[in-house]
Amino acid sequence: MKTYDVVVIGAGAAGLMCALTAGYRGLRVRVVDHANKAGKKILMSGGGRCNFTNLATTSANFFSRNPHFSISALKRYTPQHFVELIERHGIEYVEKTPGQLFCAHSAKDVVSMLLTECEWAGVEVSLSTTVDNVERLGDGMRLRIDGRTVDTGSLVVATGGLSIPTLGASGFGYDLARQFGLAVTETRAALVPFTVTSQWKSSLASLSGLSCPVVARCGDGQYREPMLFTHRGLSGPAMLQASSHWQPGMAVEIDWLPSVPVEESLRELRQSAPRRQLGTWLGEVLPRRLSQALMQWQSWKDRPMAELSNADIDTVAQGLKTWHFKPAGTEGWRTAEVTLGGVDTETISSKTFAVNGIPQLHFIGEVLDVTGQLGGYNFQWAWASGVASGQSV
Ligand code: FDA
């Protein structure tokens, strides 16, 4: 007789969702987590308001070596399903930018909802609990949990990624995957601010706290979002999104005026307002502090429009539309929201999330090589993969 039908390692978004789904099927389910609180990342997310889904979620919003892997689960458990759950619990929410849903009050509402559902589904949640050893035992699994032997029919690994170790992140899921012969693709911190060289740091200091809408391009990624100057470097949604495409040595291209056809505007102004200074115009279309900094970085002389040659206009247009910047690095795991890469999906069923050849072992959520863009996609993946595995364990 096994102690449990299902043991889930990780009381985060994916693990709790899987546990409650399996619990409602009448299975004996236990969730174990080494942290002292469930859902710590949920509590931190979305500035404490949890951007819990994105209504426009499709597999195109995810990075993975196998871009098709996420399709099945995302189709079966949609953002609307999660919204129904949220509404059933009377949680108020707001759509901040199109499609991005946040709690109106606090991310705590989402964690309480998941824990309530787990309780209703008869799930046992053990916090501050350590899994010491995992081995295959016949058609089940044998674990050592806090020094005790626990036998389970299925084991679900929902240990998440490596970002923010102080919130309980660990490489345990990757180690387990390797133990059972699965490959783990290279992991990298993503949705993370960029750092700058000390030289840039001093010239950015005066801009700290300033936010402006830009288009950021890096590799094959292009995002029209706000960027934010901080005292450490460059952040805000545009930079976080770009970081998922960035590798050391690469440049990030910024269009400072995505809504302005700069070349045409300057040519037109040269005719209609020949005495207008270049700096005055720039100060009108961009925040003044930024316009002054750009003039300085690009060594542009402040002079009347009439004095700008066609070549000068081209230079200014290029400097504003395709400004290239080489980050020194990123802030790394300390502040990254997610991990790119993870357990290779090659040998995992996209329907059940079981490992091929080891049907009693499942991997779900961010521990897998499936990583969403910024905007609620990562939680939608956690919910969808959690439900898919909870229905099949
Ligand atoms: P998650 O990390 O949630 O849970 C893993 C659990 O496993 C943790 O509770 C951990 O303690 C436990 N664990 C790890 N190792 C263990 C071990 N050895 N033994 C036992 N337990 C172990 N996404 C989004 O869609 N919208 C948003 O607003 C945000 N905002 C955001 C802000 C910040 C600051 C961060 C860091 C991240 C986000 N994210 C986000 C990303 C989102 O939080 C993340 O993708 C999901 O939480 C992943 O869910 P998982 O359940 O896979 O892992």
Side-chain angles (χ1 to χ4, degrees):
M1 177 74 175
K2 298 190 175 79
T3 332
Y4 294 97
D5 296 312
V6 187
V7 168
V8 180
I9 309 180
L16 293 175
M17 201 65 180
C18 170
L20 67 92
T21 307
Y24 280 129
R25 290 173 51 220
L27 301 178
R28 290 163 303 157
V29 185
R30 181 177 181 193
V31 184
V32 293
D33 200 305
H34 61 179
N36 59 356
K37 245 189 211 171
K40 281 193 174 180
K41 276 194 189 163
I42 303 175
L43 294 171
M44 279 276 287
S45 67
R49 294 269 188 89
C50 185
N51 176 196
F52 55 79
T53 192
N54 191 307
L55 297 175
T57 306
T58 72
S59 61
N61 300 112
F62 294 85
F63 306 98
S64 172
R65 219 156 77 167
N66 177 0
H68 304 296
F69 183 79
S70 60
I71 295 174
S72 170
L74 292 174
K75 276 201 171 150
R76 283 178 289 148
Y77 191 84
T78 65
Q80 207 50 50
H81 285 113
F82 195 75
V83 170
E84 279 162 24
L85 181 60
I86 286 273
E87 286 178 351
R88 241 184 286 138
H89 283 257
I91 297 173
E92 290 178 43
Y93 59 92
V94 289
E95 186 169 2
K96 270 204 184 165
T97 40
Q100 283 180 243
L101 304 188
F102 287 75
C103 294
H105 304 293
S106 166
K108 281 184 199 159
D109 292 344
V110 174
V111 176
S112 309
M113 175 191 81
L114 293 169
L115 289 176
T116 302
E117 288 277 335
C118 278
E119 200 185 320
W120 290 345
V123 173
E124 194 182 318
V125 180
S126 312
L127 301 173
S128 305
T129 301
T130 309
V131 179
D132 305 310
N133 190 51
V134 176
E135 60 189 12
R136 194 174 175 175
L137 188 74
D139 61 355
M141 294 295 232
R142 171 161 286 181
L143 286 80
R144 291 284 293 173
I145 299 179
D146 276 347
R148 293 205 175 141
T149 300
V150 172
D151 288 342
T152 176
S154 297
L155 175 66
V156 181
V157 183
T159 46
L162 292 170
S163 62
I164 321 207
T166 49
L167 292 182
S170 81
F172 187 75
Y174 306 133
D175 295 340
L176 268 184
R178 291 190 192 100
Q179 180 190 330
F180 288 96
L182 279 78
V184 177
T185 67
E186 190 195 341
T187 53
R188 200 150 48 81
L191 298 184
V192 60
F194 287 119
T195 55
V196 297
T197 57
S198 49
Q199 190 194 342
W200 267 107
K201 217 180 216 176
S202 46
S203 50
L204 291 180
S206 65
L207 300 174
S208 183
L210 192 139
S211 166
C212 57
V214 300
V215 167
R217 299 182 194 94
C218 187
D220 57 357
Q222 170 164 314
Y223 299 92
R224 190 177 182 141
E225 303 250 28
M227 75 171 266
L228 173 72
F229 293 90
T230 71
H231 59 282
R232 283 197 295 266
L234 301 179
S235 187
M239 295 299 113
L240 300 185
Q241 297 276 35
S243 73
S244 299
H245 300 263
W246 187 80
Q247 299 269 14
M250 280 171 83
V252 178
E253 187 181 284
I254 296 173
D255 178 347
W256 295 106
L257 287 170
S259 318
V260 180
V262 174
E263 202 184 316
E264 290 83 334
S265 301
L266 289 177
R267 279 172 194 266
E268 201 271 313
L269 277 172
R270 192 170 53 180
Q271 298 296 325
S272 61
R275 286 195 295 186
R276 169 91 59 88
Q277 295 287 120
L278 174 63
T280 311
W281 171 76
L282 206 52
E284 283 163 8
V285 289
L286 282 173
R288 183 153 292 277
R289 276 192 286 163
L290 177 59
S291 72
Q292 285 164 349
L294 278 168
M295 294 280 288
Q296 198 192 341
W297 298 339
Q298 316 258 24
S299 310
W300 291 335
K301 270 203 290 196
D302 195 11
R303 52 195 158 144
M305 293 290 169
E307 287 181 22
L308 294 180
S309 67
N310 284 347
D312 292 334
I313 288 181
D314 285 352
T315 306
V316 173
Q318 211 178 2
L320 291 173
K321 301 300 277 182
T322 58
W323 189 71
H324 281 180
F325 176 78
K326 267 198 179 172
T330 71
E331 288 185 8
W333 300 117
R334 193 177 58 80
T335 60
E337 288 198 9
V338 288
T339 301
L340 274 177
V343 177
D344 197 347
T345 58
E346 188 72 16
T347 47
I348 292 181
S349 160
S350 62
K351 302 265 178 304
T352 64
F353 289 79
V355 175
N356 294 343
I358 319 177
Q360 66 270 50
L361 179 61
H362 290 223
F363 287 85
I364 58 170
E366 198 185 315
V367 73
L368 288 167
D369 169 28
V370 177
T371 311
Q373 294 169 335
L374 187 79
Y377 305 106
N378 284 294
F379 278 133
Q380 188 55 36
W381 173 243
W383 316 136
S385 58
V387 168
S389 113
Q391 284 171 341
S392 64
V393 274

